[in-house]
Amino acid sequence: SLRKNVTYTSIRTLKNAVIYGPVDILRSHLRNKNKVVLPWDTLVKHTLQLNVTGGSGEDVWISKGKSVVSAGPGGVLTVQGQGNTAVTAVDDKNHHNNDTIEVEVKPPTSI
């Protein structure tokens, strides 16, 4: 009888890995690079657009103190009340890839 030696190669599923740069909140237009200071006004809810570089482009914005500022889609901060808080931009594809900035809301006379 004929006998053949056959070698079988195991086929594994290969997954492509995409490496994104670190999420970084752009601070070049801010006076203080470590903190955003916004005015408190009882008549107007001031807003500020924050932007990021890096990451997958699918960012989620989180305000630690929603009574101070709310953080909406695309990095739009809206003043809610006086105080201090932190706002974080998180890459939705990798929650360990994030950046945080401090936010202070106070009366315009003390800015």
Side-chain angles (χ1 to χ4, degrees):
S1 88
L2 285 174
R3 184 171 181 191
K4 292 184 179 180
N5 289 332
V6 180
T7 303
Y8 292 96
T9 303
S10 173
I11 299 175
R12 295 183 181 168
T13 303
L14 297 177
K15 294 184 179 181
N16 292 330
V18 178
I19 299 173
Y20 298 105
V23 169
D24 186 30
I25 296 173
L26 296 175
R27 293 170 165 83
S28 59
H29 65 289
L30 300 176
R31 185 179 283 169
N32 180 337
K33 304 302 181 210
N34 298 316
K35 181 191 286 188
V36 173
V37 179
L38 296 171
W40 166 246
D41 189 324
T42 57
L43 303 176
V44 177
K45 289 193 173 190
H46 292 276
T47 62
L48 175 68
Q49 170 76 51
L50 291 179
N51 295 298
V52 297
T53 59
S56 68
E58 296 180 26
D59 305 312
V60 176
W61 292 83
I62 301 166
S63 173
K64 189 173 181 182
K66 293 180 176 98
S67 63
V68 178
V69 292
S70 60
V76 177
L77 305 184
T78 304
V79 170
Q80 302 298 327
Q82 294 184 64
N84 294 287
T85 190
V87 172
T88 303
V90 180
D91 188 333
D92 201 31
K93 290 189 175 188
N94 177 0
H95 292 183
H96 297 287
N97 192 2
N98 61 70
D99 191 17
T100 300
I101 192 162
E102 296 297 316
V103 179
E104 181 177 9
V105 178
K106 58 186 182 178
T109 56
S110 59
I111 293 180

